Amino acid sequence: FIESSLLASAGVENSLYGSFIDVGNILFEIVVDCSGLVMITLFLALVYSAKPFGKSSKDGKLGKDGKLDKGSKVSKQVQVKQKTSYAFLAFVPAIFLFNLIRLFFTLWTGVAFGPQVLSIVHFALWFIDAGFVFLLWSINAGVDLRKALKAVSH
């Protein structure tokens, strides 16, 4: 429904039939993989499976002041849960929005340039979508991309 409305707002006449968008001579099927759920699942899998970078674990005991030692295992678990909640609240909607834009651009390309160009753009944008997910994950995980890319290039 959203993509059909976006196409209409861009001046592209279309009809919506369930999961199909009919644009005159081209029929697009919007499947579950197009919804962004795959990329959201990839992002959440990365967030939940990766430990924060640059953190060392300690014994998890209370300090002399009776407060939780900031370097303790328990403290780290709280930090990870907080980052996980933040990741879900901040980045999942961003991935969904990015995916809507990707899908709109893909459909618009198909309308404007035909099915051959659509196939190329569709394939390329999946990689861009995945790159966006890895970028958001690296931000959430505290990865310094400059250092990571420098280490890989040497």
Side-chain angles (χ1 to χ4, degrees):
F1 172 76
I2 296 171
E3 291 304 325
S4 176
S5 299
L6 288 173
L7 285 171
S9 68
V12 178
E13 289 187 37
N14 66 84
S15 301
L16 183 63
Y17 304 104
S19 63
F20 291 91
I21 299 176
D22 184 4
V23 186
N25 59 345
I26 302 174
L27 187 64
F28 298 105
E29 182 179 13
I30 310 300
V31 297
V32 174
D33 291 347
C34 297
S35 68
L37 291 177
V38 173
M39 292 301 157
I40 290 170
T41 302
L42 171 62
F43 176 73
L44 293 176
L46 287 167
V47 168
Y48 283 105
S49 66
K51 294 179 181 177
F53 287 85
K55 311 253 188 222
S56 62
S57 57
K58 294 187 180 179
D59 59 8
K61 296 181 181 174
L62 293 178
K64 291 179 183 177
D65 59 359
K67 294 182 180 177
L68 187 64
D69 179 17
K70 289 184 180 178
S72 71
K73 289 180 186 178
V74 175
S75 176
K76 300 238 183 291
Q77 289 173 347
V78 170
Q79 288 174 356
V80 171
K81 286 181 183 174
Q82 287 175 348
K83 273 199 133 175
T84 302
S85 298
Y86 174 77
F88 186 80
L89 293 173
F91 293 133
V92 168
I95 293 168
F96 183 73
L97 181 62
F98 186 85
N99 188 69
L100 283 176
I101 295 166
R102 178 195 65 82
L103 188 55
F104 169 77
F105 185 73
T106 302
L107 296 174
W108 180 83
T109 301
V111 170
F113 301 106
Q116 290 81 13
V117 176
L118 168 79
S119 294
I120 294 167
V121 168
H122 183 254
F123 181 75
L125 287 178
W126 268 105
F127 287 100
I128 292 170
D129 209 5
F132 182 69
V133 167
F134 281 107
L135 173 68
L136 293 180
W137 168 77
S138 69
I139 291 167
N140 185 67
V143 175
D144 184 342
L145 287 178
R146 289 185 199 125
K147 286 182 183 177
L149 292 173
K150 193 174 186 181
V152 171
S153 67
H154 288 106

